Amino acid sequence: MFSSSSLTLLLSSLLLLTQPVLAVWPAPQSFSQGNSSLYLSQTIYVTYNGKFLPYTHGYPPAQLSSKEIVQAGLSRTLSAIFSSDFVPWMLHKRGELDKFEPDLHRQHKWVKSLAITQTGKDTTQTFKPLDDTVDESYNLTISSQGEAKLTAVSSIGVLRGLETFKQLFFKHSGGPFWYTPYVPVKIEDKPDFPHRGVMIDTARSWLPVDDILRTIDALAMNKLNRLHIHVTDSQSWPLVIPSMPEVAKKGAYRPDWTYSPGDIDRIQKYGVHRGVEVYFEIDMPGHIGSLSLSHPELIVAYNEQPYHWWCAEPPCGAFKMNDTRVYAFLDKLWADLLPRLAPYSAYFHTGGDELNRNDSMLDEGIRSNKTEVLQPLLQKFIDTAHKHVRKAGLTPLVWEEIPTEWEIDIGKDVVVQSWLGGDAPFNLTKAGHKVIDSNYNFLYLDCGRGGWINNDNGEAFETFYPFNDWCGPTKSWRLIYSYNPRDGLPEDQAKLIIGGEVPVWSETIDSVTLDSIIWPRASAAGEVWWSGNKDPVTGQNRSQIEVAPRLAEMRERLVDFGVGASTVYMPFCTMHDAAECSYPMGLGYT
C-alpha cells in the first residue's frame, strides 16, 4: 500500500537524486555549474601558453611535440563541435526542449576565447606512458563573460580537458549554433587509475584498420587511454613480419586481412595523437596454432580433435617448449617486431593463458603432461621472451596463469592481467604484482550472447541446451558500473591495481557488431576507473537513476560522432525522469 505522506517523501528523495547535473562523462572529480547559456563563437580566439594557436580543420601533428599534440587536439575538438548535429531532444520531455535551449531571438552571448596553459614539460615517456608516469589532470573554467581557461600539467591532460570542453556544447534545434547551458563552469579533474582500456581480438575475427581507428577515437572521447590488441592466436595470424612473410601469408584468413608495418605504425601514431597508448599481444606458448600453417615444425597439437583434450577452443596449437627451433624463430620475430613497436608503446604482452598440459604429450621432445616436467621449460620460455621484450625497452605483461597456476618467477616490472576473478586480485597484489583487472564476471563484453560451438542432435544437444556461453550472463553496463577492482583490498595492495581493461573476444564479433558490443558498456567501466562509482558526498555507490541519464547522453554523443553504440534504454526513459524507469521498491512500498 502507498500512503500520501510516503509518496511525498519518496518523490522528494527521488528529486534530490535526479536533479539535472553537468552530464560530462566520465564524471569529473569536482565541478560546479551555473544555469546561464553561452554560444560558442566559430572565430574563438585560442592561445597555448600565451601564444595564438590556430584552428585548422583536420590538422595532423607533424611531429610528437607538445604543441603539435595540443593543436591537433584543439582542431579535432572544434571540428567535432561545429560539425555536430547533436540536438538533445531525446533528453527532454516532449515539447520541452525550448526550456533547455537559449532563445535564438535574444541577444547572443559568446564563448569568445580559450586560453590553454600547460604547466609542465612533456618527455618521450608522455607519449608512451608506463603506469602513472603521465599526469592527466586538468582544470577547466568558463566564465559568464565567455572566457574559457584550460590548465594541465601535460599535453595529455590538455587532451582530456578538451574532451570535457566538447561535451559542454549542444547544437541548437533552430540552426547552426552551438551552446552550453552550464555557465559559469568550474571543473577540477584527474583519473583514479592510470591504466584504463579495451582489449580487442583481431585473430578470431579480423578487424579493418578503420574500425580500430574509430575505436581509438571512442576511447579518447571516454578518457580511456589504452588499446590492447590481441593480434594473433590459433585461429589466424594477420600480423605481417617482413623478415618472415610466410607467417602472415599462410596464417591470415585471406591475403588482404592482414596488418602491414605501415598499418601498425598508423594505428599506434593515431593513438598517441589522442592520448591512447596502443600495445600488442602475441599469446604464447599456447594460443599459437596458426603458426603451424607456415612453420609446422614449431607447433604441437594443431587442430587436434576432440579439441577439448588439447585446448579451450578449436583450433588448438602450442609451441614445442623444448625445441631450439622455437627459440630461433622467436629470436627472429622479436628482432623484427619489437623495435618497430617500442617508439610508441611502453608495453608488450606475451600472453600465457590457458596452456594445456596435454599438448606436450604429443611433443616428441617432452612426452609428458606433468607440471614438474613442464614448469622448468615454461620458466625458461618466459625468461627468454621477457629478456627480448626488456631489451627493446618495453615492459612485459602476462596473463595471470603464468605466476599463479604455473608459479613462474617473473620480474617486479612485469604487469599481470587478471581475468579469473575471485581472490586473484587479492593474491596477486599480496605477492607484490602490479595488476590490470579484467575480471570476466564483470568485464568480458563478449559474454552472455549464447554459445558459438555447434551441438549435434543427441547427447551434445541435451548436455548444452539452451546453448548459453561459458561466461554468461551478459555484462550489462549496470553490472560493470557496480564493480571497482580496488574495493575490499588493503590500501597497500589496492594501489597495485593500476587499472582495468574490458576484453572483447571475437568468436562472435566482427566489424559489423564491434561498436555496439563495446559501447557504451566500456564507457561505464571508464567512469569507474576515472572517478569511481561512488558519490563523493555520500560515499555510497552512485545510483543508476543518477548514472543512466548521463550515460544515455554520452551514448548520443558517440552516435553523433559515428560510433554505432548500443542504446542505454528507450526514448521514454531518456525523455523523462530516470526514476520513472526504476523498479518501485523501498520507502513507501509494501
Side-chain angles (χ1 to χ4, degrees):
M1 188 172 178
F2 203 76
S3 67
S4 58
S5 60
S6 297
L7 176 62
T8 301
L9 182 57
L10 174 64
L11 292 177
S12 298
S13 300
L14 291 177
L15 182 61
L16 289 173
L17 286 171
T18 57
Q19 287 289 341
V21 295
L22 185 71
V24 170
W25 193 277
Q29 297 283 357
S30 172
F31 72 90
S32 63
Q33 66 179 83
N35 57 8
S36 298
S37 294
L38 291 178
Y39 296 92
L40 182 62
S41 171
Q42 295 193 49
T43 58
I44 183 172
Y45 185 81
V46 182
T47 60
Y48 173 60
N49 290 339
K51 296 181 179 180
F52 173 68
L53 191 67
Y55 154 53
T56 305
H57 179 76
Y59 182 82
Q63 58 185 335
L64 282 185
S65 69
S66 303
K67 180 180 178 296
E68 291 290 303
I69 292 294
V70 170
Q71 185 169 353
L74 171 71
S75 297
R76 290 193 304 272
T77 297
L78 295 180
S79 294
I81 294 172
F82 294 135
S83 64
S84 171
D85 289 321
F86 180 34
V87 176
W89 65 267
M90 190 183 287
L91 306 179
H92 302 276
K93 290 184 179 180
R94 295 173 177 87
E96 295 189 6
L97 179 60
D98 59 345
K99 296 180 180 179
F100 181 78
E101 292 183 322
D103 187 345
L104 278 178
H105 301 290
R106 293 184 178 180
Q107 183 178 3
H108 293 183
K109 296 181 179 180
W110 303 90
V111 177
K112 298 169 290 187
S113 66
L114 170 60
I116 301 172
T117 302
Q118 183 179 331
T119 61
K121 290 186 177 181
D122 292 336
T123 68
T124 55
Q125 196 72 50
T126 303
F127 307 119
K128 41 178 287 183
L130 183 69
D131 296 350
D132 58 352
T133 54
V134 174
D135 189 327
E136 298 180 77
S137 66
Y138 69 92
N139 295 336
L140 175 65
T141 61
I142 303 178
S143 72
S144 299
Q145 290 72 43
E147 297 174 342
K149 296 180 180 179
L150 171 59
T151 304
V153 176
S154 71
S155 61
I156 307 304
V158 172
L159 296 182
R160 305 296 179 241
L162 287 171
E163 287 294 341
T164 294
F165 183 81
K166 181 172 66 179
Q167 289 186 33
L168 298 177
F169 292 91
F170 304 88
K171 186 180 182 183
H172 201 287
S173 62
F177 297 90
W178 292 266
Y179 66 92
T180 176
Y182 302 121
V183 175
V185 177
K186 181 179 180 181
I187 296 173
E188 297 178 358
D189 207 7
K190 63 179 181 179
D192 286 345
F193 292 85
H195 188 114
R196 310 175 305 279
V198 169
M199 189 220 78
I200 57 174
D201 169 13
T202 61
R204 290 172 177 83
S205 294
W206 184 81
L207 295 172
V209 170
D210 284 347
D211 287 357
I212 298 173
L213 301 184
R214 187 178 64 255
T215 300
I216 292 172
D217 281 321
L219 287 163
M221 290 177 69
N222 286 275
K223 299 185 178 71
L224 293 161
N225 67 350
R226 299 288 192 276
L227 179 63
H228 167 184
I229 301 181
H230 182 94
V231 70
T232 66
D233 211 295
S234 286
Q235 289 75 20
S236 78
W237 184 292
L239 183 63
V240 174
I241 307 298
S243 62
M244 298 182 286
E246 73 282 358
V247 175
K249 183 177 181 180
K250 296 183 178 180
Y253 282 127
R254 66 187 219 192
D256 57 332
W257 279 19
T258 57
Y259 304 109
S260 69
D263 293 332
I264 299 302
D265 183 74
R266 180 186 176 197
I267 290 166
Q268 285 195 295
K269 286 181 178 177
Y270 195 90
V272 170
H273 296 162
R274 289 153 180 79
V276 176
E277 182 175 6
V278 180
Y279 73 93
F280 291 83
E281 175 189 357
I282 295 182
D283 203 349
M284 59 181 71
H287 287 283
I288 201 76
S290 57
L291 272 180
S292 185
L293 300 171
S294 59
H295 292 269
E297 73 280 3
L298 307 180
I299 303 300
V300 65
Y302 176 66
N303 204 20
E304 289 288 337
Q305 297 289 340
Y307 75 87
H308 58 81
W309 285 104
W310 315 105
C311 64
E313 65 179 47
C316 304
F319 271 131
K320 297 177 178 180
M321 290 193 293
N322 198 27
D323 195 316
T324 57
R325 292 172 296 180
V326 169
Y327 287 95
F329 172 87
L330 288 173
D331 286 347
K332 194 172 182 179
L333 173 68
W334 301 137
D336 186 317
L337 177 64
L338 296 181
R340 292 189 280 109
L341 302 181
Y344 308 110
S345 178
Y347 297 104
F348 185 82
H349 202 309
T350 58
D353 61 319
E354 297 181 326
L355 177 62
N356 192 310
R357 290 162 173 78
N358 288 340
D359 291 351
S360 292
M361 291 288 289
L362 303 180
D363 185 345
E364 64 275 8
I366 300 176
R367 297 296 186 190
S368 176
N369 62 0
K370 293 181 179 179
T371 300
E372 59 266 30
V373 173
L374 300 179
Q375 199 272 354
L377 296 173
L378 183 57
Q379 181 73 64
K380 177 185 176 183
F381 184 90
I382 296 298
D383 287 346
T384 304
H386 288 184
K387 179 185 71 174
H388 284 280
V389 172
R390 293 186 182 100
K391 182 179 179 182
L394 297 163
T395 294
L397 289 93
V398 295
W399 292 104
E400 69 177 273
E401 291 97 319
I402 291 298
T404 57
E405 178 184 345
W406 290 96
E407 299 182 350
I408 299 300
D409 290 330
I410 54 177
K412 290 296 183 182
D413 61 326
V414 178
V415 179
V416 179
Q417 187 161 11
S418 175
W419 65 282
L420 292 171
D423 294 330
F426 177 86
N427 293 333
L428 287 165
T429 54
K430 187 176 181 180
H433 298 298
K434 293 179 181 179
V435 173
I436 296 169
D437 185 82
S438 296
N439 187 336
Y440 82 89
N441 296 292
F442 296 93
L443 300 178
Y444 268 38
L445 299 187
D446 51 294
C447 292
R449 304 170 59 251
W452 56 272
I453 288 289
N454 298 318
N455 303 283
D456 199 2
N457 290 337
E459 184 179 358
F461 186 100
E462 299 297 331
T463 299
F464 292 104
Y465 182 88
F467 319 118
N468 293 319
D469 57 27
W470 68 274
C471 55
T474 301
K475 316 310 175 191
S476 69
W477 76 259
R478 293 172 176 84
L479 178 65
I480 292 167
Y481 198 86
S482 72
Y483 174 66
N484 187 318
R486 285 178 175 165
D487 285 349
L489 292 179
E491 185 176 351
D492 61 331
Q493 292 180 228
K495 66 183 181 182
L496 291 174
I497 305 287
I498 64 171
E501 291 179 1
V502 287
V504 187
W505 300 106
S506 63
E507 286 91 346
T508 60
I509 299 167
D510 64 7
S511 180
V512 176
T513 56
L514 180 70
D515 286 3
S516 64
I517 295 296
I518 298 177
W519 310 107
R521 291 186 293 161
S523 305
E527 178 158 294
V528 175
W529 298 329
W530 181 271
S531 53
N533 57 4
K534 291 181 170 55
D535 186 295
V537 177
T538 66
Q540 302 298 312
N541 279 7
R542 290 192 182 102
S543 168
Q544 295 172 12
I545 295 173
E546 184 273 328
V547 175
R550 293 190 297 106
L551 184 59
E553 179 176 320
M554 185 60 189
R555 183 264 177 176
E556 295 305 311
R557 291 187 180 278
L558 286 165
V559 171
D560 179 63
F561 186 79
V563 177
S566 184
T567 56
V568 173
Y569 46 19
M570 58 185 170
F572 173 83
C573 298
T574 66
M575 298 175 78
H576 287 252
D577 191 317
E580 297 175 39
C581 289
S582 63
Y583 196 84
M585 295 182 69
L587 182 65
Y589 291 95
T590 58

